[in-house]
Amino acid sequence: MPNLIHEPARDVPVLHDTDVLVAGAGISGLFAALESAAAGARTTLVDEYSAVGGNYGPGLGSRHDLWQAPQQHDRGLGGQVGDFLDRLDACGGIKTFDFISGGDNVPWRWDGMAHIPVIDRNEFQRLALQRLRDLAVSLLLSTTVAGAIVEDGHVGGVIFETGEGRRAITAKVVIDTTGEADVAAAAGAATEDAYASAEAGFGLFFRVEDVDWETYEEFRAAERDKPLSDEEERWVDEVLFVALERVWANYPRELLPFMMADWESGAYKYVASIPGGAHAYKIPFATHDQDVTTIETRWPDHTLSALNAIERSTIESSARLHAYDTIEFYKRHVPGFENARVSQIAPYMGTRWSRTIVPDYTLSRDDIVAERRFDDVVHVLTTLYRYDDEARKGGRTRQLVNMREREEGHHFDMPLSQFLPQGVEGMLAAGRSIGRDRTASLRWRWIAKVTGGVAGMAAARAVAEGVPPRHVNIQALQRALVDVGYYLGEPPRLSELGVA
């Protein structure tokens, strides 16, 4: 069999022309499209799945990560992001439940927060479709990125695979929110495959039903804080953590006797081995939502790629099987789960970090810890952890802030240059496709929302000025962002930027 085949050249019909084309309708892509359209640009949003929202849609994720940033919660999120969340809250789309963490007992609550908020996926989907319609965003679903339209280094659109074959959409500005920098890579922009990162794990969400949650929570509350016996400590250190190839403080303590017995008998292993060197295990229930959790997969030897079709399929199929096996384990042992069954599994696995653009400026943890300022700042974020010398005492690499006292971590700028892929003009990236150093984790859902909204505003400004995003008037962009409520700093900082 030949290693290569020749694909004949073809003429590709142009399906649509637009000002701003957003490729990927996940969390960041949704808000990129809404912000672009609200700013007056003709906007088109395309996604390979039949629903929008990504992690908050077909991916079955639900945790409203903004609760992990109380100061950002107090300041509010700007533009279409803040407006959408206000609308979602008003229609009952942000629900709550009593959060019980896993074995690490992390004090996630902060004063004034009675319950952990989670996103109602159905209300999120309904409101997203409604807002896209209201802002006249052209939406194309079940349409997959197949290539990029590039002329003299300028990206002028994207080629997609549809049910009718290949079709092109031309655009003045393209925003890559595919999560894996698919458009940037197809356009010949500089990208980096992050398979070598410990962050490059998958998560497969699934839902269960017919669980007596009151019985389960009573059992969990009674068992989860019991001290470990010597034999349990030995097993956790020498079996569980060895299988995981890392120390994992969040394992479900209440299940430990059952995990040990089934592991030793061969009936079930909480950590499943996947061909190629990956591991799959279930995080505790009530970490994301009450009836939804995830099979997490990691490959500690950093040899697998999220972009390799065979390796990804092997991991995903193994994770799906492990979800079913895990619920059978729960049915055998766990009070409240006697009649449980898997009712839904997400159609795809989410990746914490895969391929990213190589941007004009790569943000690093050193920038974050030093709280470095940038003249082209487009949003200011705060961290959940501190990474300074005080936090590193005792051999730690970081220290969780005191959320109860609303303590803040590091304030740091996100520069526009972080959104711009090297090697091409006419496009931006947002969400997981954005460029950053491996030490600067920016994968939180609320950050995906913000980066999407910022990219959408930047694209609309570029269209209005008739220039590529790299050459947009930065003060005009900053002023537009501040005007709709994005946080670029306190008044003295805004005065320094000339946008007060």
Side-chain angles (χ1 to χ4, degrees), residues 81-372:
V81 179
D83 177 76
F84 187 96
L85 292 176
D86 288 343
R87 290 172 185 263
L88 188 64
D89 195 18
C91 69
I94 300 178
K95 56 185 181 177
T96 62
F97 73 99
D98 288 323
F99 177 76
I100 303 176
S101 67
D104 56 354
N105 295 308
V106 172
W108 292 113
R109 297 183 186 276
W110 38 269
D111 284 349
M113 184 182 70
H115 304 280
I116 297 298
V118 293
I119 299 294
D120 184 300
R121 289 170 295 277
N122 289 324
E123 282 301 310
F124 186 95
Q125 183 79 194
R126 182 195 64 79
L127 182 60
L129 293 171
Q130 183 184 76
R131 294 299 296 149
L132 290 168
R133 179 198 63 196
D134 292 347
L135 291 170
V137 174
S138 298
L139 177 63
L140 281 80
L141 300 174
S142 303
T143 302
T144 305
V145 171
I149 303 168
V150 185
E151 186 173 351
D152 296 328
H154 186 98
V155 179
V158 179
I159 298 172
F160 296 95
E161 289 287 358
T162 74
E164 295 180 312
R166 290 200 179 201
R167 294 294 185 270
I169 299 178
T170 55
K172 294 181 176 68
V173 177
V174 174
I175 305 176
D176 188 335
T177 51
T178 60
E180 293 175 337
D182 291 339
V183 178
T191 62
E192 178 182 13
D193 293 347
Y195 69 89
S197 167
E199 286 276 357
F202 283 146
L204 178 68
F205 284 98
F206 68 98
R207 176 187 283 118
V208 296
E209 62 184 17
D210 296 333
V211 175
D212 183 339
W213 291 106
E214 183 175 352
T215 297
Y216 169 66
E217 293 296 356
E218 288 176 357
F219 157 76
R220 191 180 194 196
E223 299 294 327
R224 64 188 295 273
D225 294 326
K226 288 183 177 180
L228 298 182
S229 68
D230 291 344
E231 176 61 18
E232 287 174 331
E233 286 188 355
R234 183 204 64 78
W235 191 87
V236 168
D237 289 338
E238 297 181 6
V239 179
L240 181 62
F241 292 167
V242 169
L244 287 168
E245 297 187 51
R246 71 173 181 126
V247 174
W248 180 44
N250 207 34
Y251 70 88
R253 163 67 183 93
E254 69 277 6
L255 304 184
L256 189 56
F258 312 135
M259 291 164 60
M260 293 172 61
D262 274 26
W263 194 300
E264 298 306 323
S265 71
Y268 167 80
K269 289 189 175 182
Y270 198 87
V271 182
S273 296
I274 299 175
H279 311 299
Y281 56 96
K282 189 194 73 64
I283 68 168
F285 281 102
T287 299
H288 287 271
D289 202 345
Q290 188 175 51
D291 62 347
V292 173
T293 189
T294 181
I295 298 294
E296 192 165 273
T297 62
R298 294 167 58 88
W299 40 98
D301 57 2
H302 312 320
T303 59
L304 301 179
S305 171
L307 302 174
N308 182 289
I310 294 175
E311 292 176 350
R312 183 168 187 139
S313 296
T314 299
I315 293 169
E316 185 162 357
S317 60
S318 299
R320 291 179 184 279
L321 185 59
H322 195 54
Y324 290 113
D325 291 344
T326 299
I327 296 309
E328 290 302 312
F329 162 75
Y330 268 66
K331 289 176 68 174
R332 288 195 300 271
H333 298 295
V334 182
F337 273 80
E338 292 84 357
N339 300 309
R341 70 185 190 93
V342 175
S343 61
Q344 187 178 8
I345 301 181
Y348 66 91
M349 298 192 78
T351 313
R352 284 183 169 179
W353 195 354
S354 181
R355 180 170 55 200
T356 66
I357 65 166
V358 176
D360 286 358
Y361 186 84
T362 300
L363 193 75
S364 70
R365 184 177 294 177
D366 289 341
D367 293 323
I368 294 173
V369 174
E371 301 187 345
R372 183 176 177 183

